[in-house]
Amino acid sequence: MDTIPLRDAYRSLLDAATTVAGSGDTMPVPSTGEWNADQILAHVAIVNATTIATVAAASAGAPTTYDNRTAHDAWTIERVIGLAGGNAGLRERIRLQADALCALGGPMLSETELDTLVPTLLLSHDKVQVNQPLPLRDLITGLAEVELPGHTRQLLSLVPPSTTGNQGVTGCHLPPGGSVVVHQHPSGPVRADDFVQASQSFSQ
């Protein structure tokens, strides 16, 4: 499996996180109910850990599942922020997780292992988006194509447009229940979290 798109997605996310961190006092405070940069990064770190655990179990021939509910839990997100030591620690954690996942999901896995069907539960906006087995490779591809780019845009939305030239993305909204919605204008809300777009193609 080619992990270059995954590496590129992580690089873009970490570059965005560094840009946000460098904004200092110029960075706008998120509106009530929206995630700040640390919360976005903690969410990504939890998703990474879940994905790494799933890939590792599949490579060991052990039964495994994929469930994203913990990554939306507000208490868990705050705990991960504290354990990582804040923004810089979260960025370093994600960098190391990216190295691990790219190594695990690359040449190490056979095509048969990548085709392993993993019972998957994905929630978004407090609603079940996927509740069926998905191939392991699709979980990794969804991370590279949907999850990470979505959170990269969310991070850049926290930087003043004059700094990034970023237009149209208004933030990462955390409605009751801990799910994520990315708002993009003028076409209306787009849910970019939890592989929703990718999962729709998986089920076709």
Side-chain angles (χ1 to χ4, degrees):
M1 182 176 185
D2 183 8
T3 58
I4 291 177
L6 185 61
R7 289 186 182 277
D8 288 345
Y10 274 117
R11 185 178 299 111
S12 295
L13 179 117
L14 290 171
D15 286 347
T18 300
T19 298
V20 173
S23 298
D25 294 337
T26 65
M27 186 176 67
V29 177
S31 302
T32 302
E34 293 186 354
W35 279 351
N36 61 31
D38 288 359
Q39 290 167 327
I40 294 170
L41 293 176
H43 167 81
V44 171
I46 297 168
V47 169
N48 289 342
T50 301
T51 307
I52 290 169
T54 300
V55 172
S59 68
T64 187
T65 61
Y66 192 92
D67 185 340
N68 75 338
R69 286 176 293 180
T70 302
H72 293 292
D73 179 71
W75 183 89
T76 303
I77 286 173
E78 294 302 323
R79 183 171 184 269
V80 169
I81 293 171
L83 291 173
N87 191 279
L90 287 166
R91 283 182 280 137
E92 179 65 7
R93 177 173 293 200
I94 290 171
R95 184 187 69 80
L96 295 172
Q97 289 174 326
D99 289 342
L101 188 55
C102 288
L104 287 170
M108 184 193 78
L109 294 178
S110 68
E111 292 299 310
T112 298
E113 288 169 319
L114 288 168
D115 288 336
T116 300
L117 291 177
V118 179
T120 301
L121 177 62
L122 300 180
L123 303 184
S124 181
H125 200 36
D126 288 337
K127 295 182 180 180
V128 174
Q129 299 295 323
V130 176
N131 187 13
Q132 66 183 59
L134 294 179
L136 180 62
R137 72 171 72 244
D138 287 356
L139 293 174
I140 299 172
T141 300
L143 191 64
E145 295 181 354
V146 180
E147 176 83 5
L148 295 174
H151 289 304
T152 298
R153 292 191 295 272
Q154 292 168 20
L155 286 166
L156 290 175
S157 76
L158 298 175
V159 181
S162 60
T163 303
T164 64
N166 182 55
Q167 300 290 338
V169 180
T170 61
C172 173
H173 179 57
L174 181 61
S179 56
V180 175
V181 177
V182 178
H183 299 282
Q184 186 172 9
H185 302 292
S187 58
V190 178
R191 287 175 186 156
D193 195 29
D194 307 326
F195 318 147
V196 172
Q197 296 173 15
S199 66
Q200 291 173 346
S201 65
F202 300 161
S203 59
Q204 293 176 351

